Amino acid sequence: MKKAVLITGACINTGVAIVEKFLVEGLPVVFTGRRDDAVKDAEARYRERFPEADVMGIAIDSHDGAGAVNEAGVTRLFEMLDKKEILIDTLVLNAADQGLGMTVLDSPLSDFTRVMETNVTWNLALCVAAARRMRDKETGGSITFINSNTAYRAIPDRIAYVASKGGQLGMMRAMALDFGKYNIRVNAVLPG
């Protein structure tokens, strides 16, 4: 089984820099993005810049068509990786819904829920799927949340994002305790 890094939200911005760092190190990378066209474009750019790289992009949205967290998509993603004999031993959770344009007094509750589901529940589903495989293969591994300094300081009109990043830190700490016995490290990086 080939070990690889899985990086979410890796078609733009910070995600690109994370993918490129792992590719420079010569590690196989699987990355995700929400839209198929964006994933294909990003994969072509990575292959052009790193012709010898082992890189594969997969389009997967955090929500299914009915507005719920896409748990079935996570299951399909990891089943596909299993069939290709790819074991994710490093998971970098970069994808996020920034909750832009929300005001707490005027936005519907569904906007808040969407951000929390993407930034907390979706990441939980990915962590559980990866950690189960790390545990079962007895390889250990690493899970890293790309969090935000807003986990500790609020910014105006971003209540869902701020709450979700605080929730991520709590989840990260609990996972570190629960997964540590399987030699799985769980950490967070707080840019800003």
Side-chain angles (χ1 to χ4, degrees):
M1 201 159 235
K2 175 176 73 174
K3 291 182 180 180
V5 179
L6 174 59
I7 303 161
T8 67
C11 295
I12 60 171
N13 303 330
T14 305
V16 171
I18 296 168
V19 168
E20 289 181 352
K21 178 61 178 167
F22 280 105
L23 292 177
V24 163
E25 297 295 323
L27 296 169
V29 171
V30 177
F31 73 92
T32 69
R34 288 186 177 129
R35 294 186 349 264
D36 193 51
D37 61 330
V39 169
K40 286 179 181 173
D41 289 346
E43 186 173 337
R45 287 192 314 272
Y46 294 137
R47 289 187 186 284
E48 182 178 329
R49 181 141 189 238
F50 304 93
E52 304 299 317
D54 185 353
V55 62
M56 176 175 55
I58 299 169
I60 182 170
D61 199 316
S62 58
H63 287 77
D64 63 16
V69 169
N70 189 4
E71 188 176 5
V74 172
T75 299
R76 284 191 302 275
L77 168 65
F78 279 88
E79 286 174 350
M80 184 266 299
L81 293 171
D82 291 344
K83 286 180 185 169
K84 292 181 178 280
E85 296 190 1
I86 297 171
L87 175 66
I88 301 304
D89 72 336
T90 302
L91 174 61
V92 181
L93 301 154
N94 178 63
D97 184 329
Q98 294 185 11
L100 298 173
M102 288 180 58
T103 57
V104 68
L105 297 177
D106 299 318
S107 295
L109 185 60
S110 59
D111 286 354
F112 181 89
T113 303
R114 184 195 72 238
V115 174
M116 293 297 288
E117 286 176 344
T118 298
N119 298 351
V120 179
T121 310
W122 167 251
N123 283 327
L124 173 63
L126 289 161
C127 290
V128 168
R132 282 180 179 153
R133 285 158 176 83
M134 293 173 195
R135 176 199 64 195
D136 294 348
K137 298 289 184 188
E138 298 180 353
T139 60
S142 175
I143 297 171
T144 303
F145 288 86
I146 306 301
N147 197 273
S148 168
N149 64 12
T150 60
Y152 293 114
R153 67 171 184 85
I155 53 178
D157 296 327
R158 301 285 292 284
I159 190 168
Y161 185 72
V162 171
S164 73
K165 291 302 182 172
Q168 262 188 12
L169 281 187
M171 186 167 68
M172 176 270 304
R173 289 183 187 106
M175 283 181 184
L177 291 173
D178 292 340
F179 296 171
K181 61 188 163 206
Y182 305 112
N183 198 28
I184 301 168
R185 290 183 324 275
V186 187
N187 295 292
V189 177
L190 285 69

